[in-house]
Amino acid sequence: MTANDPRITVGVDGSAGSAAAVTWAAELASRRHLQLKIVHGLQVAGLYYGGGMTGIGAATLFEAVQADGERAIADARALAASVDKELVIVTDLPNDPPVPMLIEESRHARMLVVGRTGTGGFADMLVGGTAAAVAAHAHCPVAIIRGHHDSTTGPVAVGIDGGPNSEQAIAVAFEEASLRGVPLVAVHAWNDITYEDTRGTARILTQPESLEEGEDRLLTERLAGWPEKYPDVEIRRVLVRDRPRHALLDVSAEAQLVVVGSRGRGGFTGMLLGSTSQALVQHAQCPVLVVRPERKA
């Protein structure tokens, strides 16, 4: 996240999860003195071609969909303004599907914020398809607002592993902890099965004591240099033999934000969201910030 990205962007759809996302994003934009952009994708192109409707029927449905979108935008704007009357708010209501629209918006945002569910989700879907898809493809960090999203006293937690995506997550987590004035919980978890060889084949390690020493060293190496850059941030190390998703889900009970990379060291090249980040997006008890690798120009 850089100063060249002057806005927080939040996607809305009129759902309860969307309202929570707007409040969270507005509070964040207010604290950071950033612009808030509220967007809603109409997704009405299919009404005319390939959607099974033509003429008067399609036009009437378009008007209804547009009215719903305008209502969602207006409600979200009023909610954001109630957080901070001085907040600079802009809105957009493009005729685009939500996921491509939000991914494009992520090119110009410091952070993209979405709710945990959408109006199009099914009852047994813990996270709407929009949130998961955007977290997997966005160009900036994506916050999925879930759990106790109104906490301002808990620490920021970050999942740390040996993967290349971990460094970006650490950088964002330190920045968030510093700006919020709270401690950073650095969580490194492992089990006795790793996937570090070139073929991705699991190896079972039989010397847990030496393994723990190596994992402790890895955590120390990953944190090296950050205390000097952020001397105001208290660091709490959590080193545990467990699956990373379990450890981070436990920490999410007391944290106000959990930061993770989109893929860990065990991920495959084609996996846009690793198992740990997927588990947190689905089950965490607080907002989750998914950080994707920086994209080369």
Side-chain angles (χ1 to χ4, degrees):
M1 294 188 288
T2 70
N4 294 325
D5 306 317
R7 71 173 66 131
I8 303 295
T9 298
V10 57
V12 302
D13 60 10
S15 66
S18 171
V22 170
T23 299
W24 194 91
E27 291 173 347
L28 183 68
S30 178
R31 290 196 303 267
R32 309 282 172 84
H33 305 289
L34 298 173
Q35 179 188 87
L36 178 67
K37 185 172 185 180
I38 302 172
V39 296
H40 174 86
L42 287 177
Q43 196 172 1
V44 295
L47 298 180
Y48 294 97
Y49 303 101
M53 296 191 69
T54 58
I56 300 297
T60 301
L61 186 54
F62 171 82
E63 291 174 358
V65 171
Q66 186 172 29
D68 285 344
E70 291 172 350
R71 188 178 305 110
I73 288 285
D75 290 347
R77 187 183 188 104
L79 181 59
S82 71
V83 172
D84 181 356
K85 294 180 180 179
E86 303 300 320
L87 187 63
V88 177
I89 303 171
V90 297
T91 63
D92 194 14
L93 188 66
N95 179 12
D96 294 311
V99 171
M101 180 269 293
L102 288 169
I103 292 171
E104 180 60 29
E105 286 290 338
S106 75
R107 294 179 181 273
H108 314 289
R110 183 165 184 152
M111 186 185 297
L112 190 63
V113 183
V114 293
R116 66 179 292 255
T117 57
T119 54
F122 297 97
D124 59 348
M125 290 178 63
L126 295 173
V127 170
T130 297
V134 170
H137 295 278
H139 298 262
C140 70
V142 177
I144 297 92
I145 308 309
R146 51 172 300 112
H148 51 269
H149 48 76
D150 55 352
S151 172
T152 59
T153 58
V156 170
V158 59
I160 297 178
D161 60 25
N165 201 187
S166 182
E167 194 70 11
Q168 283 109 342
I170 294 170
V172 171
F174 266 98
E175 180 183 22
E176 287 297 319
S178 178
L179 289 169
R180 295 163 187 264
V182 298
L184 176 68
V185 180
V187 181
H188 178 59
W190 78 97
N191 54 31
D192 292 345
I193 300 178
T194 69
Y195 297 85
E196 293 180 348
D197 64 312
T198 57
R199 296 179 182 271
T201 304
R203 293 188 294 116
I204 298 178
L205 304 177
T206 57
Q207 296 180 318
E209 293 80 10
S210 63
L211 175 61
E212 184 168 355
E213 293 175 0
E215 300 295 342
D216 181 73
R217 186 165 53 252
L218 184 150
L219 178 57
T220 299
E221 292 171 353
R222 286 294 180 181
L223 292 174
W226 291 106
E228 290 74 26
K229 188 173 182 179
Y230 291 95
D232 59 317
V233 176
E234 173 193 346
I235 302 172
R236 302 174 184 173
R237 292 164 47 108
V238 174
L239 190 69
V240 59
R241 185 182 296 116
D242 194 359
R243 289 186 178 275
R245 72 189 77 169
H246 295 162
L248 288 167
L249 286 172
D250 286 345
V251 169
S252 75
E254 66 173 26
Q256 63 173 281
L257 180 69
V258 173
V259 183
V260 289
S262 57
R263 287 195 297 119
R265 61 182 175 182
F268 299 97
T269 302
M271 286 180 61
L272 295 172
L273 278 185
S275 60
T276 298
S277 52
Q278 287 188 51
L280 285 162
V281 167
Q282 295 281 0
H283 301 289
Q285 299 181 58
C286 71
V288 177
L289 186 58
V290 180
V291 182
R292 289 193 42 73
E294 293 182 357
R295 301 195 179 189
K296 297 180 181 179

